[in-house]
Amino acid sequence: MSIFGRRRERREAELVELEVGRVKARMVDEDVTLFGEQLSDLHVETLTTELDADMRATLSNPEAWDRAHGPGDSFSYVNFNFPIVAAIMERATGERFDRLMDRLVLKPLAIDACFNWDSCSTDAAARAVVLYRDGEAIRDDNKGKKPACAVTPAANDACDLGVWKPGANGAIFSPQGGLRISANGLARIGRLLLGGGEVDGVRLLSPASVTLILTPQWTFNGANGQTYEADAGNDAARGALCRYGLATQTLATHAEGCRDNPFGDDIPRIGHAGDAYGLKSGLWIDRATGTGIAYFATGVPESDPGRHSGFTATEERLATRK
């Protein structure tokens, strides 16, 4: 590759990081400003996930916007912000989100992972963890190979990735929860964050970027948002979300109404919890001690209340290893 090609790639990466940084503080913190209460129960799985769908139909709906709050005023969990960021990345680079993440993040970190299987290795697909709900396999039962269609098919059931258009539908490759990654891969991400953006001699982020990602943008004060996914109808989870940053959560908040301490030790770990299709997962780091934990479990029942937190009993057992 010529010096001009390398310079172009560096500049492209810088532009992507700059553009994402500009929007993350408004979107990736999952502020209620993005979606109003009337659509808060509609996550990406029930919106524009089809291969040929267009996000503009959703965003042009007046009910998609919360006119009662300004940016940072209130918090309510929603995940459609991630496809919006993905769409911006695609428009800025002309590259598919899954390939962009593979080139800029996963390959440099030597992590065999992917968004919605297409860019994963055959070996990774063969090792897929099947997601179960009520004893039934509902996702990623790959039977030792890549699925015939790596994404949600188009409205006519066709699966031609050639119809993809940059930025038309940032949800195609599931940036909100479609990362297929092992626990070891998650642990490597944790080490990257603990290392200030560097792991095993590879620098991916600046220390300032890591600090920005891990710093809470919202803290519950008793009246400025919801502390759980209210649309899921699980009151046992109330109090599980009390401090949120750029898609990172800080645990063990000492405030009335907060039950975000699954470890039970009052240590303010930072990370993210996964919850989809019977899966419960988590990556949590303790910056003070330089330690962390990654875990997952499938087939977790919908009714599985925790004993001392708004997390499930399964998550509490994984966190405390008891």
Side-chain angles (χ1 to χ4, degrees):
M1 180 182 292
S2 69
I3 184 172
F4 298 104
R6 289 193 294 270
R7 184 180 298 169
R8 181 189 65 80
E9 283 198 353
R10 287 197 301 271
R11 180 55 179 161
E12 182 182 82
E14 290 171 357
L15 288 173
V16 170
E17 183 173 0
L18 177 62
E19 187 67 23
V20 172
R22 286 172 175 168
V23 299
K24 270 187 173 181
R26 294 291 180 90
M27 296 178 180
V28 185
D29 64 351
E30 297 173 4
D31 194 289
V32 73
T33 305
L34 184 60
F35 271 104
E37 185 176 354
Q38 290 178 293
L39 286 185
S40 65
D41 59 338
L42 296 181
H43 290 275
V44 174
E45 288 75 12
T46 56
L47 289 169
T48 52
T49 56
E50 292 82 7
L51 180 56
D52 57 347
D54 194 315
M55 289 171 51
R56 287 177 295 185
T58 299
L59 295 176
S60 62
N61 184 345
E63 294 183 347
W65 303 93
D66 177 15
R67 302 177 185 277
H69 302 96
D73 290 349
S74 187
F75 174 93
S76 180
Y77 181 86
V78 70
N79 64 12
F80 198 61
N81 45 343
F82 293 100
I84 292 175
V85 172
I88 292 171
M89 294 169 68
E90 289 183 347
R91 287 295 295 270
T93 64
E95 191 171 355
R96 275 177 21 189
F97 173 77
D98 63 328
R99 292 176 175 174
L100 188 64
M101 293 299 291
D102 185 58
R103 179 169 63 84
L104 295 179
V105 179
L106 300 174
K107 270 193 171 62
L109 295 179
I111 297 176
D112 190 359
C114 58
F115 284 85
N116 276 4
W117 293 118
D118 189 60
S119 58
C120 254
S121 69
T122 302
D123 288 343
R127 297 192 303 268
V129 175
V130 181
L131 302 187
Y132 293 91
R133 178 180 288 160
D134 298 327
E136 180 182 355
I138 57 174
R139 283 290 186 279
D140 295 347
D141 190 5
N142 290 349
K143 303 185 188 305
K145 58 184 179 181
K146 286 189 177 183
C149 186
V151 299
T152 302
N156 63 359
D157 290 329
C159 190
D160 178 12
L161 289 176
V163 305
W164 167 86
K165 297 178 181 178
N169 182 7
I172 290 176
F173 299 99
S174 300
Q176 77 285 351
L179 177 63
R180 269 58 174 196
I181 188 170
S182 68
N184 285 334
L186 281 178
R188 192 163 179 80
I189 297 295
R191 291 176 55 214
L192 172 78
L193 297 173
L194 286 170
E198 181 177 354
V199 59
D200 294 337
V202 176
R203 175 160 294 284
L204 192 74
L205 298 168
S206 68
S209 291
V210 172
T211 297
L212 178 63
I213 290 169
L214 300 181
T215 300
Q217 304 292 318
W218 167 82
T219 299
F220 182 61
N221 65 9
N224 62 340
Q226 297 174 334
T227 61
Y228 72 118
E229 291 187 55
D231 57 274
N234 181 15
D235 285 345
R238 194 183 295 271
L241 287 166
C242 280
R243 283 184 286 179
Y244 218 86
L246 301 189
T248 59
Q249 177 183 357
T250 300
L251 300 177
T253 305
H254 295 283
E256 186 176 353
C258 293
R259 302 173 60 243
D260 55 349
N261 189 16
F263 290 82
D265 56 11
D266 291 326
I267 293 176
R269 292 177 178 83
I270 309 172
H272 195 94
D275 177 10
Y277 306 112
L279 168 78
K280 295 291 184 180
S281 61
L283 170 63
W284 304 103
I285 61 172
D286 177 1
R287 301 182 80 185
T289 62
T291 60
I293 184 173
Y295 57 72
F296 69 86
T298 69
V300 179
E302 291 190 18
S303 180
D304 185 35
R307 294 185 176 183
H308 58 263
S309 75
F311 287 69
T312 63
T314 298
E315 291 169 293
E316 289 180 352
R317 286 194 298 271
L318 290 168
T320 60
R321 286 166 284 184
K322 294 180 180 178

